[in-house]
Structure formats: C-alpha cells, structure tokens
Amino acid sequence: MYAELMRFTKSYRHKRMTGLDSVSAGATTPKRSRLLSFINFPGTRRKNVEQPPPFLEFRSSTFFILLTVCLAIFTDILFYGLIVPVFPFSLLEQIGLAENKVQEWTAILLACYNVTLFLGAPIVGFYADHSSSRRWPLLLGLVALCGSTLLLCLSKTIALLVVGRLLQGLSAAIVWSVGLALLVDTVGRDIGYAMGYVTISMSVGLLISPVIGGAVYEAAGYYAVFYIAFAVVACDIALRLVLVEKRVAQQWVVGPESSEAESATTTTDNREDVEKQVQAASHAGADPALPPSPTRAGTSSGDPIAALSTPVLNPAKHPHWELIKNRRMLAALVGIAIEACIVFAFDTVIPLYVKQTFEWNSTAAGLIFICVMVPGFVSPIVGKLADKHGAKWFSVAGFALSIPPLVCLRFVTRNTIEHKVLLCALLTLLGVTLVTLANTPLMAEITYAIDEREAQQPGVWGEKGVYGIAYGLFTTAYALGGTIGSITAGYIQAGPGWGTTTWYCGVWAAAGAVVSFWLGARPDEVPKRQRPDEELPASTSGVM
C-alpha cells in the first residue's frame, strides 16, 4: 500500500512540474507544439513520455523505415543521374564556358562527387556510431541535399557548381552510411531481405535517371530537370522528418511509473533466480579448477551474485581497426568494389557503343538498361535465401556465371536484329547473375561478418557498435570501384576497343568469384541478433 501511494505521489508531482495534469493540459497546447511533436525533431521531444507522437506505431514500423531508406537511396541515385546528361549543356549555356573546356570540367564535377563520397562515408559512419540517434545524421543529410539541389540549379559560376557537387557527394555519403546502418538496427536478422529492396532502389534509380534527365531537357529545358528533382527531394524530406527510430519509440511503449514498477519486479525476480543458482552451486560444490567469473571491468568479484548476473564482455582496444582486419569484412568490401567496377564500366561504355553500332538515340540507349534492371526485382528473394544459407555461394555463383555473358558481349558487333536480341539477352543474364546474385548477398555479408565476430567475442565492438562505419566503408569501396571502372573502361574502349573491354570485365568477374570464397559461414551457424519489435502496442499510436 505504501509503495502504491509513493508511485501515485511521484506521478502527480511529475504532471504538475510538466504542466500536463488534468486541469492544465486541456486546449492550451499551441499548434506549433503539436507540429513539432508530429515531426519529432531531435531536441524538441517532450519531457512527458506518456504522450507519444501521432501515428507512432506506423512511423516506427519496419515497413516505414525501410521505405524511407530506400526512397533516400533512390533520390540520391536519381538526382545524380538526372544532371549527368545535362552538365555539358549547363556549362555552355548557364556558365558560358568555352566549348573546348566542357569535357574537362564535366570530368572534374563528376570527380568532386566521387571524392566527397569516398572520403566522407567513413567519417559520417563513425559519427553515426557515436551519435545518440541515426536520425540526426539523416536530417543533416537533408541540409546537404537541399543545398546541392539549389546550387546546381541556380549556379552561374563554376565555383558554385563545384560546391554543389561536393554537397551532393556529402549527402550521398550520409544516405548510404547512415541509412544502411539504420536498416541493420531495424530489421535484425532479415538484413539480406532488406538489402534486396535497396538493390531495387539502386537499379531503378540508375535506369530511369539518365533517360528522364535527357528527355526532359530536350522537351522542356534546363530548369524542368530540376523541377523533377525538387519533387522527389520534397517526398524524401517528408519521410525523413516523420521517421521515428524503434529504439526511440520504445520510450513510449512503457510509461515511467509502470516502467519503474516492472523494473523493480524484474530486478527482484532476477535476484531470486541468481540466489537459487548460487545456492545450487554451493550445494553441488565449487570446482576449484574454474577461474572466478570476471565482471564488466574485467576483474574478479567476490560477490557470487554479481559474478553470475554480470555478462562477460571483452571489448577490443581499437574496434574499428579490428573491423578493417576482419577477413569476411575485407572480402565483402573487395567484392563490392569489383561489382561496382563492372557495373560502372558498362554504364560508361554501352550507351556510346549502341549509339555507334545500332544508331540509337540517347533515349533508346538508356532504355537498354531495362534488361539489367528487371531481374533485380527478385533481389529480396535472394537476400532472404542469403539470410538462411549465407552469402558465400550466392556471390561465388553470381560472379562465376557472369563471366560467359560478359565475354560473349564481344560478339555483338553488327546492326542486325539478331545482334540486338543477343545484346538484350546477355544484359538480362547479367542482371540475374551480377546485380541480383552477387550484389545483394555482399551487402548483407557486412552485417553477417560483424555479428559473427560479436558472437565469438561479446562486446568486441564496444558500446557504440560499428555498423555506421562498416557501411561507410561499403560506400567507400563502391565509390572506388565505380571510379576505377568508369575511367579504365573509357580508356580501353577508346583504345583497343569493344572486344577488349568485354574481356576486361570478364577478368574482374573472375576475380570477384575468387574473392567470394573468403566470405564466411552461414548466418545460422552463429547466434543471431533478436529482431526489434515490428509493431508497437496499439495504445501508443494515439494522436496528441
């Protein structure tokens, strides 16, 4: 009875201090507070955790978080691809650059994006691991995204274009590093399945962006291209602002009073269980050969209850260095770089080659990539299988089976129906093998590698974890591979020609198959992380 009275008194004082008792909480809440509670900006969260934000259950659901991350990745790819075909014309018309300088500055502007992405991704990932929320970096990415969009649209000088591209690369680094880390936090053991949808977002963005950019520019002019970008960016902003992380949403699942009572009850029950274990051990007799149980600090404790209740942790001195040295992690990063090298090599070479060989216009050259994109829609299925059987053999098979179609592309040389059909068939096979089988499991392998090391040495990654920097390194590897693939394939195509380019890509695929043999064990051979609650209790989804 005394405990109940004390809880009631504490609850009453809490409501009086926050001004949310039954008398003062009526219709005095300003509309601005309601808006901030809906958007849930970091730092504007109410002290009264009894009142959840509107639609909390949906805003923190796995579906909504996955949708937000996939749209953010799609927006990044779309914006990147929209302006690539427009740059040469904007440099001439908007900037007034000399025609003999257009090619040089186009390459410089593309390099600005890749350099920022390459260098910024690990730094952003490190920051995300040490911040209190993944959502904060994502919102900072919105600032970079909006700034880059406005600068690239309105710039009249080459310096502002360079700043715009640097901001665009920073935004991409945030989206990829923090977004994928947020997915890992959200989906738990189904990471391969989630990465399948990320692959679809990438494929669709890479496919439609150059086509839309070129077609809209020809039909409606320079600024119309950015109208599309602004519309997609607006949707991206809306989703990121209303997103609520699962770990943040947990504070509204249990109120402070019930949380305190449940905590006290749980502590009492756990202590009783521990005491029973200690009594059983004393009756059975202690084994002198066993060392004393270490505490969290790594020292021996004389209290048998503390020894049994404290988990054994063994954090690494430099967890990020341990991550880079991890064999599975290195294999995944090298495999990602190789896959990006091949994909960007063909993105660079094929549009110009089909234009010269088949006399296609830019729209038709872009639509040929539909053959690569369509098989990517089965990526979630492949990811689900990788969650069950591991990434190793899927990636090995994907790279190995890519070698024949890559090499056989050298036989597409004449402007005939047969050669056009052959090109489409070979690109479709590459969509199945390279994009679907090889890429999706490799993205999930990063999480598998981290979880395996954690199971072998609990606490090795420290309190903050390393998912942010891990996917920052993934982004860096992808940017590096894409840059190498674009530059080398362009030079080979301009020199030895098409046949040598296909052999070049085939050699990279063979190297990817060899590297994939160093990927790790099946996920079910190590303990799995528990998946966060998919849905919150219905009582927490009310409107404030």
Side-chain angles (χ1 to χ4, degrees):
M1 186 67 180
Y2 176 75
E4 293 292 334
L5 180 61
M6 292 299 295
R7 280 199 295 271
F8 175 81
T9 304
K10 184 176 181 180
S11 174
Y12 178 76
R13 288 178 179 174
H14 173 76
K15 291 179 180 180
R16 289 298 300 269
M17 291 176 65
T18 56
L20 293 172
D21 54 52
S22 58
V23 176
S24 63
T28 61
T29 303
K31 293 183 178 180
R32 185 184 176 192
S33 287
R34 292 179 180 273
L35 177 61
L36 291 178
S37 68
F38 183 83
I39 296 176
N40 191 31
F41 281 110
T44 63
R45 204 186 314 155
R46 290 191 177 189
K47 294 181 179 180
N48 180 20
V49 298
E50 293 178 351
Q51 297 293 332
F55 310 108
L56 177 64
E57 181 179 358
F58 176 72
R59 292 164 59 186
S60 61
S61 65
T62 299
F63 167 78
F64 185 78
I65 295 175
L66 178 61
L67 176 65
T68 302
V69 173
C70 287
L71 179 63
I73 290 173
F74 171 79
T75 302
D76 170 64
I77 297 293
L78 180 74
F79 187 34
Y80 175 86
L82 274 177
I83 61 177
V84 166
V86 177
F87 263 146
F89 302 98
S90 66
L91 290 173
L92 286 173
E93 299 174 8
Q94 302 294 119
I95 308 299
L97 203 65
E99 190 169 354
N100 61 347
K101 295 288 186 179
V102 169
Q103 183 62 57
E104 175 186 351
W105 278 103
T106 300
I108 291 174
L109 290 172
L110 292 175
C112 289
Y113 174 90
N114 289 325
V115 167
T116 310
L117 183 63
F118 179 84
L119 298 177
I123 298 174
V124 169
F126 180 84
Y127 169 72
D129 284 335
H130 289 78
S131 66
S132 59
S133 171
R134 306 283 193 203
R135 191 166 171 268
W136 247 123
L138 283 177
L139 294 179
L140 292 177
L142 283 179
V143 178
L145 179 62
C146 294
S148 66
T149 307
L150 289 173
L151 284 175
L152 293 174
C153 176
L154 303 175
S155 293
K156 299 294 183 180
T157 64
I158 197 70
L160 290 179
L161 279 180
V162 170
V163 174
R165 287 296 278 179
L166 291 174
L167 285 176
Q168 189 184 8
L170 177 61
S171 172
I174 293 173
V175 165
W176 284 95
S177 304
V178 183
L180 294 182
L182 176 60
L183 273 187
V184 176
D185 296 340
T186 303
V187 302
R189 67 184 64 185
D190 297 325
I191 186 62
Y193 182 69
M195 291 302 175
Y197 288 102
V198 172
T199 301
I200 293 176
S201 303
M202 294 169 54
S203 300
V204 175
L206 287 171
L207 169 71
I208 69 174
S209 55
V211 178
I212 293 177
V216 171
Y217 180 81
E218 291 180 6
Y222 176 79
Y223 290 105
V225 175
F226 287 91
Y227 296 157
I228 298 174
F230 284 131
V232 179
V233 168
C235 296
D236 187 16
I237 290 174
L239 291 185
R240 289 200 218 182
L241 286 178
V242 302
L243 179 145
V244 179
E245 294 180 66
K246 284 187 179 292
R247 56 182 166 183
V248 175
Q250 291 300 318
Q251 66 180 307
W252 287 288
V253 175
V254 182
E257 293 85 2
S258 59
S259 171
E260 183 178 321
E262 290 180 5
S263 176
T265 303
T266 303
T267 303
T268 303
D269 293 341
N270 289 342
R271 188 171 185 86
E272 290 177 356
D273 292 340
V274 171
E275 288 175 352
K276 292 179 181 179
Q277 296 178 24
V278 172
Q279 291 175 3
S282 62
H283 288 312
D287 187 354
L290 293 176
S293 300
T295 63
R296 185 180 295 273
T299 59
S300 177
S301 173
D303 184 2
I305 297 178
L308 287 173
S309 61
T310 304
V312 179
L313 299 178
N314 188 16
K317 186 176 181 180
H318 302 289
H320 297 108
W321 178 242
E322 289 293 324
L323 179 69
I324 296 173
K325 293 193 302 181
N326 186 277
R327 174 182 59 85
R328 293 182 66 171
M329 185 69 184
L330 285 175
L333 293 177
V334 173
I336 285 291
I338 291 174
E339 194 266 344
C341 180
I342 300 172
V343 169
F344 277 83
F346 276 101
D347 284 346
T348 303
V349 170
I350 283 186
L352 182 60
Y353 182 74
V354 297
K355 179 181 179 182
Q356 295 173 346
T357 305
F358 302 145
E359 299 178 356
W360 286 353
N361 58 25
S362 58
T363 302
L367 290 175
I368 192 65
F369 286 100
I370 290 180
C371 300
V372 182
M373 182 204 73
V374 171
F377 281 96
V378 302
S379 295
I381 299 175
V382 175
K384 193 73 173 179
L385 294 173
D387 287 332
K388 182 177 180 181
H389 302 289
K392 179 177 181 177
W393 296 112
F394 288 101
S395 294
V396 169
F399 279 117
L401 294 175
S402 297
I403 298 174
L406 284 172
V407 175
C408 288
L409 280 170
R410 67 194 310 272
F411 299 118
V412 179
T413 55
R414 296 199 301 271
N415 188 8
T416 63
I417 294 296
E418 291 80 6
H419 283 235
K420 294 176 183 177
V421 171
L422 177 61
L423 175 64
C424 293
L426 292 174
L427 290 179
T428 302
L429 287 175
L430 287 174
V432 174
T433 58
L434 189 63
V435 176
T436 303
L437 281 178
N439 181 61
T440 303
L442 278 173
M443 296 172 69
E445 172 68 10
I446 294 175
T447 300
Y448 301 157
I450 294 174
D451 287 352
E452 181 192 49
R453 188 75 170 85
E454 176 70 27
Q456 295 171 350
Q457 185 179 341
V460 63
W461 307 121
E463 296 181 1
K464 300 295 184 179
V466 291
Y467 288 115
I469 195 170
Y471 281 99
L473 293 173
F474 156 81
T475 307
T476 296
Y478 199 85
L480 177 62
T483 303
I484 293 174
S486 297
I487 295 175
T488 55
Y491 277 108
I492 293 174
Q493 180 69 18
W498 173 249
T500 305
T501 302
T502 60
W503 276 112
Y504 169 78
C505 292
V507 170
W508 274 119
V514 173
V515 169
S516 296
F517 275 103
W518 273 268
L519 300 181
R522 291 167 49 182
D524 57 4
E525 293 180 3
V526 298
K528 295 179 180 178
R529 295 175 295 111
Q530 292 297 321
R531 175 174 177 161
D533 292 337
E534 171 66 24
E535 305 294 341
L536 298 177
S539 60
T540 66
S541 60
V543 179
M544 295 180 66

